[in-house]
Coordinates of all heavy atoms in Angstrom, one line a residue:
M1 N -19.7 10.0 -12.4 CA -19.0 9.1 -11.6 C -17.5 9.5 -11.7 O -17.0 9.8 -12.8 CB -19.1 7.6 -12.0 CG -18.4 6.6 -11.1 SD -19.3 5.1 -11.2 CE -17.9 4.2 -12.1
T2 N -16.8 9.5 -10.6 CA -15.4 9.9 -10.6 C -14.4 8.8 -11.0 O -14.8 7.5 -10.6 CB -14.9 10.6 -9.3 OG1 -15.1 9.6 -8.3 CG2 -15.7 11.8 -8.9
K3 N -13.3 9.1 -11.6 CA -12.4 8.0 -11.9 C -11.7 7.6 -10.6 O -11.2 8.4 -9.9 CB -11.4 8.6 -13.0 CG -10.3 7.7 -13.4 CD -9.4 8.2 -14.4 CE -8.2 7.3 -14.6 NZ -7.2 7.9 -15.3
K4 N -11.5 6.3 -10.4 CA -10.8 5.8 -9.3 C -9.3 5.7 -9.6 O -8.9 5.2 -10.7 CB -11.3 4.4 -8.9 CG -12.8 4.3 -8.6 CD -13.3 5.3 -7.5 CE -14.7 5.2 -7.3 NZ -15.4 6.4 -7.1
T5 N -8.5 6.2 -8.7 CA -7.1 6.2 -9.0 C -6.2 5.2 -8.2 O -5.0 5.1 -8.3 CB -6.5 7.6 -8.8 OG1 -6.8 8.0 -7.5 CG2 -7.0 8.6 -9.8
G6 N -6.8 4.5 -7.3 CA -6.2 3.5 -6.5 C -7.1 3.0 -5.3 O -8.3 3.5 -5.2
I7 N -6.7 2.1 -4.6 CA -7.4 1.5 -3.5 C -6.5 1.1 -2.3 O -5.4 0.7 -2.6 CB -8.3 0.3 -3.9 CG1 -9.3 -0.1 -2.8 CG2 -7.5 -0.9 -4.3 CD1 -10.3 -1.0 -3.2
W8 N -6.9 1.4 -1.1 CA -6.1 1.1 0.0 C -6.9 0.3 1.0 O -7.9 0.7 1.5 CB -5.8 2.5 0.7 CG -4.7 2.5 1.7 CD1 -4.4 1.6 2.7 CD2 -3.6 3.5 1.8 NE1 -3.3 1.9 3.4 CE2 -2.8 3.0 2.9 CE3 -3.3 4.7 1.3 CZ2 -1.7 3.8 3.3 CZ3 -2.2 5.4 1.6 CH2 -1.4 5.0 2.7
F9 N -6.3 -0.9 1.3 CA -6.9 -1.9 2.3 C -6.1 -1.5 3.6 O -4.9 -1.5 3.6 CB -6.7 -3.2 2.0 CG -7.5 -3.7 0.8 CD1 -7.0 -3.7 -0.5 CD2 -8.8 -4.2 1.0 CE1 -7.8 -4.1 -1.6 CE2 -9.5 -4.7 -0.1 CZ -9.0 -4.6 -1.3
Y10 N -6.8 -1.4 4.7 CA -6.2 -1.3 6.0 C -7.0 -1.9 7.0 O -8.2 -2.2 7.0 CB -5.9 0.2 6.4 CG -7.2 0.9 6.6 CD1 -7.8 1.1 7.8 CD2 -7.8 1.6 5.5 CE1 -9.0 1.9 8.1 CE2 -9.0 2.3 5.7 CZ -9.5 2.4 7.0 OH -10.7 3.1 7.1
G11 N -6.3 -2.4 8.1 CA -7.0 -3.2 9.1 C -6.1 -4.0 9.9 O -4.8 -4.0 9.7
L12 N -6.6 -4.9 10.8 CA -5.9 -5.7 11.7 C -5.3 -6.9 10.9 O -5.8 -7.2 9.8 CB -6.8 -6.2 12.8 CG -7.4 -5.1 13.8 CD1 -8.4 -5.8 14.7 CD2 -6.3 -4.5 14.5
S13 N -4.3 -7.4 11.5 CA -3.6 -8.6 10.9 C -4.6 -9.7 10.8 O -5.5 -10.0 11.7 CB -2.5 -9.0 11.9 OG -1.8 -10.2 11.3
G14 N -4.6 -10.5 9.7 CA -5.4 -11.7 9.4 C -6.8 -11.4 9.0 O -7.7 -12.3 9.0
T15 N -7.1 -10.1 8.5 CA -8.4 -9.8 8.0 C -8.7 -9.9 6.5 O -9.7 -9.7 6.0 CB -8.8 -8.5 8.5 OG1 -8.0 -7.5 7.9 CG2 -8.9 -8.3 9.9
G16 N -7.6 -10.4 5.8 CA -7.8 -10.6 4.4 C -7.4 -9.5 3.5 O -7.7 -9.4 2.3
K17 N -6.6 -8.5 4.0 CA -6.1 -7.4 3.1 C -5.3 -7.9 2.0 O -5.5 -7.4 0.9 CB -5.3 -6.4 4.1 CG -6.1 -5.7 5.2 CD -5.2 -4.9 6.0 CE -4.0 -5.6 6.6 NZ -4.4 -6.6 7.7
T18 N -4.4 -8.7 2.3 CA -3.4 -9.3 1.2 C -4.1 -10.1 0.3 O -4.0 -10.0 -1.0 CB -2.2 -10.0 1.8 OG1 -1.5 -9.1 2.7 CG2 -1.4 -10.6 0.8
Y19 N -5.1 -10.9 0.7 CA -5.9 -11.8 -0.1 C -6.7 -10.9 -1.1 O -6.7 -11.2 -2.3 CB -6.8 -12.7 0.8 CG -7.7 -13.6 0.0 CD1 -7.3 -14.7 -0.6 CD2 -9.1 -13.2 -0.2 CE1 -8.1 -15.5 -1.4 CE2 -9.9 -14.0 -0.9 CZ -9.5 -15.1 -1.6 OH -10.3 -16.0 -2.3
G20 N -7.4 -9.9 -0.6 CA -8.2 -9.0 -1.4 C -7.3 -8.3 -2.4 O -7.8 -8.1 -3.5
S21 N -6.1 -7.8 -1.9 CA -5.2 -7.1 -2.8 C -4.9 -7.9 -4.0 O -4.8 -7.5 -5.1 CB -4.1 -6.7 -2.0 OG -4.4 -5.7 -1.1
N22 N -4.5 -9.2 -3.7 CA -4.0 -10.1 -4.7 C -5.2 -10.3 -5.7 O -4.9 -10.4 -7.0 CB -3.5 -11.4 -4.1 CG -2.2 -11.2 -3.5 OD1 -1.3 -10.5 -4.0 ND2 -2.0 -11.9 -2.4
L23 N -6.4 -10.6 -5.2 CA -7.5 -10.8 -6.2 C -7.7 -9.5 -7.1 O -7.9 -9.7 -8.3 CB -8.9 -11.0 -5.4 CG -9.0 -12.3 -4.8 CD1 -10.4 -12.4 -4.0 CD2 -9.0 -13.5 -5.8
L24 N -7.7 -8.3 -6.5 CA -7.9 -7.2 -7.4 C -6.6 -7.0 -8.4 O -7.0 -6.6 -9.5 CB -7.9 -5.9 -6.5 CG -9.3 -5.6 -5.9 CD1 -9.2 -4.4 -5.0 CD2 -10.3 -5.4 -7.0
H25 N -5.5 -7.2 -7.9 CA -4.4 -7.1 -8.8 C -4.4 -8.0 -10.0 O -4.1 -7.6 -11.2 CB -3.0 -7.5 -8.0 CG -1.8 -7.3 -8.8 ND1 -1.5 -6.1 -9.4 CD2 -0.8 -8.2 -9.1 CE1 -0.3 -6.3 -10.0 NE2 0.1 -7.5 -9.8
K26 N -5.0 -9.2 -9.9 CA -5.2 -10.1 -11.1 C -6.3 -9.5 -12.0 O -6.2 -9.8 -13.2 CB -5.7 -11.5 -10.5 CG -4.6 -12.2 -9.8 CD -5.1 -13.5 -9.3 CE -4.0 -14.3 -8.4 NZ -4.5 -15.5 -7.9
K27 N -7.2 -8.7 -11.5 CA -8.4 -8.3 -12.2 C -8.1 -6.9 -12.9 O -8.6 -6.6 -14.0 CB -9.6 -8.2 -11.4 CG -10.1 -9.4 -10.7 CD -11.0 -10.1 -11.7 CE -11.6 -11.3 -11.1 NZ -12.3 -12.1 -12.0
I28 N -7.3 -6.1 -12.3 CA -7.1 -4.8 -12.7 C -5.7 -4.6 -13.6 O -4.7 -4.8 -13.0 CB -7.1 -3.8 -11.6 CG1 -8.4 -3.8 -10.8 CG2 -6.7 -2.3 -12.1 CD1 -8.4 -2.9 -9.5
K29 N -5.9 -4.3 -14.8 CA -4.7 -4.1 -15.7 C -4.0 -2.9 -15.2 O -4.5 -1.9 -14.7 CB -5.1 -4.0 -17.1 CG -5.7 -5.2 -17.6 CD -6.1 -5.0 -19.1 CE -6.7 -6.3 -19.6 NZ -7.2 -6.1 -21.0
N30 N -2.7 -2.9 -15.4 CA -1.8 -1.7 -15.1 C -1.9 -1.4 -13.6 O -1.9 -0.2 -13.2 CB -2.2 -0.5 -15.9 CG -1.0 0.5 -16.0 OD1 0.1 0.0 -16.0 ND2 -1.4 1.7 -16.1
S31 N -1.9 -2.4 -12.7 CA -1.9 -2.1 -11.3 C -0.6 -2.6 -10.7 O 0.1 -3.4 -11.2 CB -3.1 -2.9 -10.7 OG -3.0 -4.3 -10.7
I32 N -0.4 -2.1 -9.5 CA 0.8 -2.5 -8.8 C 0.3 -2.8 -7.2 O -0.5 -2.1 -6.7 CB 1.9 -1.4 -8.8 CG1 3.2 -1.9 -8.1 CG2 1.4 -0.1 -8.2 CD1 4.4 -0.9 -8.3
L33 N 0.9 -3.8 -6.7 CA 0.6 -4.1 -5.2 C 1.7 -3.4 -4.5 O 2.9 -3.5 -4.7 CB 0.8 -5.6 -5.0 CG -0.4 -6.5 -5.5 CD1 0.0 -7.8 -5.2 CD2 -1.7 -6.1 -4.8
I34 N 1.3 -2.6 -3.4 CA 2.2 -2.0 -2.5 C 1.8 -2.5 -1.1 O 0.8 -2.0 -0.5 CB 2.1 -0.4 -2.6 CG1 2.3 0.0 -4.0 CG2 3.0 0.2 -1.6 CD1 2.1 1.5 -4.1
D35 N 2.5 -3.5 -0.7 CA 2.2 -4.2 0.5 C 3.1 -3.6 1.7 O 4.3 -3.4 1.7 CB 2.4 -5.7 0.4 CG 2.0 -6.4 1.7 OD1 0.9 -6.8 1.8 OD2 2.9 -6.7 2.6
G36 N 2.4 -3.2 2.9 CA 3.1 -2.7 3.9 C 4.2 -3.5 4.5 O 5.2 -2.9 5.0
D37 N 4.0 -4.8 4.6 CA 5.1 -5.7 5.1 C 6.4 -5.5 4.2 O 7.6 -5.6 4.7 CB 4.6 -7.1 5.3 CG 3.6 -7.2 6.3 OD1 3.6 -6.4 7.3 OD2 2.8 -8.2 6.3
I38 N 6.1 -5.6 2.9 CA 7.2 -5.6 2.0 C 7.9 -4.2 2.0 O 9.2 -4.1 1.9 CB 6.8 -6.0 0.6 CG1 6.4 -7.5 0.6 CG2 7.9 -5.7 -0.5 CD1 5.6 -7.8 -0.7
V39 N 7.2 -3.1 2.1 CA 7.8 -1.8 2.2 C 8.5 -1.6 3.4 O 9.6 -1.1 3.4 CB 6.6 -0.7 2.0 CG1 7.2 0.7 2.4 CG2 6.0 -0.7 0.6
R40 N 8.0 -2.2 4.5 CA 8.7 -2.2 5.7 C 10.1 -2.9 5.6 O 11.0 -2.5 6.2 CB 7.9 -2.7 6.9 CG 8.4 -2.4 8.3 CD 7.5 -2.8 9.3 NE 6.4 -1.9 9.6 CZ 6.7 -0.9 10.3 NH1 7.7 -0.5 10.9 NH2 5.6 0.0 10.5
K41 N 10.0 -4.0 4.9 CA 11.3 -4.8 4.8 C 12.4 -4.2 3.9 O 13.6 -4.1 4.3 CB 10.9 -6.1 4.2 CG 12.1 -7.1 4.0 CD 11.7 -8.4 3.5 CE 12.9 -9.4 3.3 NZ 12.4 -10.6 2.7
Y42 N 12.0 -3.5 2.9 CA 12.9 -2.9 1.9 C 13.2 -1.4 2.0 O 14.1 -0.9 1.6 CB 12.6 -3.3 0.4 CG 12.8 -4.8 0.3 CD1 11.6 -5.6 0.1 CD2 14.0 -5.5 0.3 CE1 11.7 -6.9 -0.1 CE2 14.1 -6.8 0.1 CZ 13.0 -7.7 -0.1 OH 13.1 -8.9 -0.2
V43 N 12.1 -0.7 2.4 CA 12.2 0.8 2.5 C 12.2 1.3 3.9 O 13.1 2.2 4.3 CB 11.0 1.4 1.7 CG1 11.0 2.9 1.8 CG2 10.9 0.9 0.4
S44 N 11.4 0.9 4.7 CA 11.2 1.4 6.1 C 11.8 0.5 7.1 O 11.3 0.4 8.3 CB 9.7 1.5 6.4 OG 9.2 2.5 5.5
Y45 N 12.9 -0.2 6.8 CA 13.6 -1.0 7.7 C 14.1 -0.3 9.0 O 14.5 -0.8 10.0 CB 14.7 -1.8 7.0 CG 15.7 -1.0 6.3 CD1 16.7 -0.3 6.9 CD2 15.5 -0.7 4.9 CE1 17.6 0.5 6.2 CE2 16.3 0.1 4.2 CZ 17.3 0.7 4.8 OH 18.2 1.5 4.1
D46 N 14.2 1.1 8.9 CA 14.7 1.9 10.0 C 13.5 2.1 11.0 O 13.9 2.7 12.0 CB 15.2 3.1 9.4 CG 14.2 4.0 8.6 OD1 13.4 3.3 8.0 OD2 14.2 5.2 8.7
L47 N 12.4 1.7 10.7 CA 11.2 2.1 11.6 C 10.9 0.9 12.5 O 11.1 -0.3 12.3 CB 10.0 2.4 10.8 CG 10.2 3.6 9.9 CD1 8.9 3.9 9.1 CD2 10.5 4.9 10.6
D48 N 10.3 1.3 13.7 CA 9.9 0.4 14.7 C 8.3 0.3 14.6 O 7.8 0.8 13.5 CB 10.3 0.7 16.1 CG 10.3 -0.5 17.0 OD1 9.8 -1.6 16.6 OD2 10.7 -0.3 18.3
Y49 N 7.6 0.1 15.7 CA 6.1 0.0 15.6 C 5.5 1.0 16.5 O 4.4 0.9 17.0 CB 5.6 -1.4 15.9 CG 5.9 -2.3 14.7 CD1 7.1 -3.1 14.7 CD2 5.0 -2.4 13.6 CE1 7.3 -3.9 13.6 CE2 5.3 -3.2 12.6 CZ 6.4 -4.0 12.6 OH 6.7 -4.8 11.5
T50 N 6.3 2.1 17.0 CA 5.7 3.1 17.8 C 4.7 3.9 16.9 O 4.6 3.8 15.7 CB 6.9 4.2 18.3 OG1 7.4 4.8 17.1 CG2 8.0 3.4 19.0
E51 N 3.9 4.7 17.6 CA 2.9 5.5 16.9 C 3.6 6.5 15.8 O 3.1 6.6 14.7 CB 2.1 6.3 17.9 CG 0.9 7.1 17.3 CD 0.0 7.8 18.2 OE1 0.2 7.6 19.5 OE2 -0.8 8.6 17.8
N52 N 4.6 7.1 16.3 CA 5.3 7.9 15.4 C 5.8 7.2 14.1 O 5.7 7.7 13.0 CB 6.4 8.7 16.1 CG 7.1 9.8 15.2 OD1 6.4 10.6 14.6 ND2 8.4 9.7 15.0
D53 N 6.5 6.0 14.3 CA 7.0 5.3 13.3 C 6.0 4.8 12.3 O 6.1 4.7 11.1 CB 7.9 4.1 13.8 CG 9.2 4.6 14.3 OD1 9.6 5.8 14.1 OD2 9.9 3.7 15.0
R54 N 4.9 4.4 12.9 CA 3.7 4.0 12.0 C 3.1 5.1 11.2 O 2.8 4.9 10.0 CB 2.5 3.4 12.9 CG 2.8 2.1 13.6 CD 1.7 1.7 14.6 NE 2.2 0.5 15.3 CZ 1.7 -0.7 15.1 NH1 0.9 -0.9 14.1 NH2 2.1 -1.8 15.8
N55 N 3.1 6.3 11.7 CA 2.7 7.5 11.0 C 3.7 7.7 9.8 O 3.3 8.1 8.7 CB 2.6 8.8 11.8 CG 1.4 8.7 12.8 OD1 0.5 8.1 12.4 ND2 1.6 9.3 13.9
I56 N 5.0 7.7 10.1 CA 6.0 7.7 9.0 C 5.8 6.6 7.9 O 5.8 7.0 6.8 CB 7.4 7.6 9.6 CG1 7.7 8.9 10.5 CG2 8.4 7.6 8.4 CD1 8.9 8.7 11.3
Q57 N 5.5 5.4 8.3 CA 5.3 4.4 7.4 C 4.1 4.7 6.5 O 4.1 4.5 5.3 CB 5.1 3.0 8.1 CG 4.6 1.8 7.3 CD 5.6 1.2 6.5 OE1 6.7 1.8 6.2 NE2 5.3 0.1 5.8
I58 N 3.0 5.1 7.1 CA 1.8 5.5 6.3 C 2.1 6.6 5.3 O 1.8 6.6 4.1 CB 0.7 5.9 7.2 CG1 0.2 4.7 8.1 CG2 -0.5 6.5 6.4 CD1 -0.4 3.6 7.3
T59 N 3.0 7.5 5.8 CA 3.3 8.6 4.8 C 4.2 8.1 3.7 O 4.0 8.5 2.5 CB 4.2 9.8 5.6 OG1 3.3 10.2 6.6 CG2 4.6 10.9 4.7
R60 N 5.1 7.2 4.0 CA 5.8 6.6 2.8 C 5.0 5.8 1.9 O 5.2 5.9 0.7 CB 6.9 5.8 3.5 CG 8.0 6.5 4.1 CD 9.1 5.6 4.8 NE 10.1 6.4 5.5 CZ 11.1 6.0 6.2 NH1 11.3 4.6 6.2 NH2 11.9 6.7 6.8
M61 N 4.1 5.0 2.4 CA 3.1 4.3 1.6 C 2.4 5.2 0.7 O 2.1 4.9 -0.5 CB 2.2 3.4 2.4 CG 2.8 2.4 3.3 SD 3.5 1.0 2.5 CE 1.9 0.3 2.0
Y62 N 1.9 6.3 1.3 CA 1.2 7.3 0.4 C 2.0 7.8 -0.6 O 1.6 8.1 -1.8 CB 0.7 8.5 1.4 CG -0.1 9.6 0.7 CD1 -1.3 9.4 0.2 CD2 0.5 10.8 0.5 CE1 -2.0 10.4 -0.4 CE2 -0.1 11.8 -0.2 CZ -1.4 11.6 -0.6 OH -2.1 12.7 -1.4
G63 N 3.3 8.2 -0.4 CA 4.2 8.7 -1.3 C 4.4 7.7 -2.4 O 4.4 8.1 -3.6
L64 N 4.6 6.4 -2.2 CA 4.7 5.4 -3.2 C 3.4 5.3 -4.1 O 3.6 5.2 -5.3 CB 5.0 4.0 -2.6 CG 6.5 3.9 -1.9 CD1 6.5 2.6 -1.1 CD2 7.5 4.0 -2.9
A65 N 2.3 5.5 -3.5 CA 1.0 5.5 -4.1 C 0.9 6.7 -5.1 O 0.5 6.5 -6.2 CB -0.2 5.4 -3.2
K66 N 1.4 7.8 -4.6 CA 1.3 9.0 -5.6 C 2.3 8.8 -6.7 O 2.0 9.3 -7.8 CB 1.7 10.2 -4.7 CG 0.6 10.7 -3.6 CD -0.6 11.0 -4.3 CE -0.5 12.5 -5.0 NZ -1.7 12.9 -5.6
I67 N 3.5 8.3 -6.5 CA 4.4 8.1 -7.7 C 3.7 7.1 -8.6 O 3.8 7.4 -9.8 CB 5.7 7.4 -7.1 CG1 6.5 8.5 -6.3 CG2 6.5 6.8 -8.2 CD1 7.6 7.9 -5.5
A68 N 3.0 6.0 -8.2 CA 2.3 5.2 -9.1 C 1.3 5.9 -9.8 O 1.2 5.8 -11.0 CB 1.7 3.9 -8.4
I69 N 0.5 6.6 -9.1 CA -0.6 7.4 -9.7 C -0.1 8.4 -10.8 O -0.6 8.4 -11.9 CB -1.6 8.1 -8.7 CG1 -2.3 7.1 -7.9 CG2 -2.5 9.1 -9.4 CD1 -2.9 7.7 -6.7
N70 N 0.9 9.0 -10.5 CA 1.6 10.0 -11.4 C 2.2 9.3 -12.6 O 2.4 10.0 -13.7 CB 2.6 10.9 -10.7 CG 2.0 11.9 -9.8 OD1 0.8 12.2 -9.9 ND2 2.8 12.3 -8.8
S71 N 2.4 8.0 -12.6 CA 2.9 7.3 -13.6 C 1.9 6.4 -14.3 O 2.1 5.5 -15.1 CB 4.0 6.3 -13.1 OG 5.1 7.0 -12.5
N72 N 0.6 6.8 -14.0 CA -0.6 6.1 -14.7 C -0.7 4.7 -14.4 O -1.0 3.9 -15.1 CB -0.7 6.4 -16.1 CG -0.8 7.8 -16.5 OD1 -1.6 8.5 -15.9 ND2 -0.1 8.3 -17.5
I73 N -0.2 4.3 -13.1 CA -0.4 2.9 -12.6 C -1.4 3.0 -11.4 O -1.4 3.9 -10.6 CB 1.0 2.4 -12.1 CG1 2.0 2.4 -13.3 CG2 0.8 1.1 -11.5 CD1 3.4 2.0 -13.0
F74 N -2.2 2.0 -11.4 CA -3.2 1.9 -10.4 C -2.7 1.2 -9.1 O -2.4 0.0 -9.1 CB -4.4 1.1 -10.9 CG -5.7 1.1 -9.9 CD1 -6.6 2.1 -10.2 CD2 -5.8 0.1 -9.0 CE1 -7.8 2.1 -9.3 CE2 -6.9 0.1 -8.3 CZ -7.9 1.1 -8.3
P75 N -2.4 1.9 -8.0 CA -1.9 1.3 -6.8 C -3.0 0.6 -6.0 O -4.1 1.1 -5.8 CB -1.3 2.5 -6.0 CG -2.2 3.6 -6.3 CD -2.6 3.4 -7.9
I76 N -2.5 -0.6 -5.5 CA -3.3 -1.4 -4.6 C -2.5 -1.5 -3.4 O -1.6 -2.3 -3.3 CB -3.8 -2.8 -5.2 CG1 -4.5 -2.5 -6.5 CG2 -4.6 -3.6 -4.2 CD1 -4.7 -3.8 -7.3
I77 N -3.0 -0.9 -2.3 CA -2.1 -0.7 -1.1 C -2.7 -1.6 0.0 O -3.9 -1.5 0.2 CB -2.0 0.8 -0.6 CG1 -1.5 1.6 -1.9 CG2 -1.1 0.9 0.5 CD1 -2.0 3.0 -1.8
S78 N -1.9 -2.2 0.7 CA -2.4 -3.1 1.8 C -1.5 -2.8 3.0 O -0.2 -3.0 3.0 CB -2.3 -4.5 1.4 OG -2.6 -5.4 2.5
T79 N -2.1 -2.2 4.1 CA -1.3 -1.9 5.4 C -2.1 -2.4 6.6 O -3.4 -2.4 6.6 CB -1.1 -0.4 5.6 OG1 -2.4 0.3 5.5 CG2 -0.2 0.1 4.5

């Protein structure tokens, strides 16, 4: 079995991504929540919701997750 280094929830609005992320965050020690809405508010405030801007947002989320993984923190991402 391979070691899991993170989890990424994605889907439509209102499907329980944040709810599931919060539940896992309570259960998994050394984890961090990386929520797309919060990242958009504080990091990606320069982006809109065009297809290109959404791709940039996903790339930024991935980068934040990689930083967490490289720091031995389990990222729980919700977009």
Side-chain angles (χ1 to χ4, degrees):
M1 188 156 109
T2 59
K3 180 183 172 190
K4 305 299 181 225
T5 56
I7 189 165
W8 195 319
F9 290 94
Y10 63 93
L12 297 174
S13 179
T15 57
K17 298 177 300 293
T18 300
Y19 179 77
S21 296
N22 286 323
L23 284 178
L24 278 179
H25 182 55
K26 290 177 186 176
K27 298 277 185 187
I28 299 173
K29 293 179 182 178
N30 202 34
S31 65
I32 184 172
L33 287 175
I34 303 174
D35 185 86
D37 291 334
I38 295 171
V39 171
R40 189 173 281 278
K41 181 177 180 180
Y42 293 109
V43 177
S44 299
Y45 52 83
D46 59 325
L47 300 179
D48 201 0
Y49 290 92
T50 66
E51 184 176 349
N52 185 55
D53 285 349
R54 289 173 188 258
N55 288 333
I56 293 169
Q57 170 74 350
I58 293 298
T59 302
R60 290 178 182 178
M61 299 288 290
Y62 178 74
L64 291 170
K66 290 298 287 182
I67 291 169
I69 291 167
N70 290 338
S71 299
N72 295 317
I73 299 171
F74 188 90
I76 302 169
I77 306 151
S78 177
T79 57

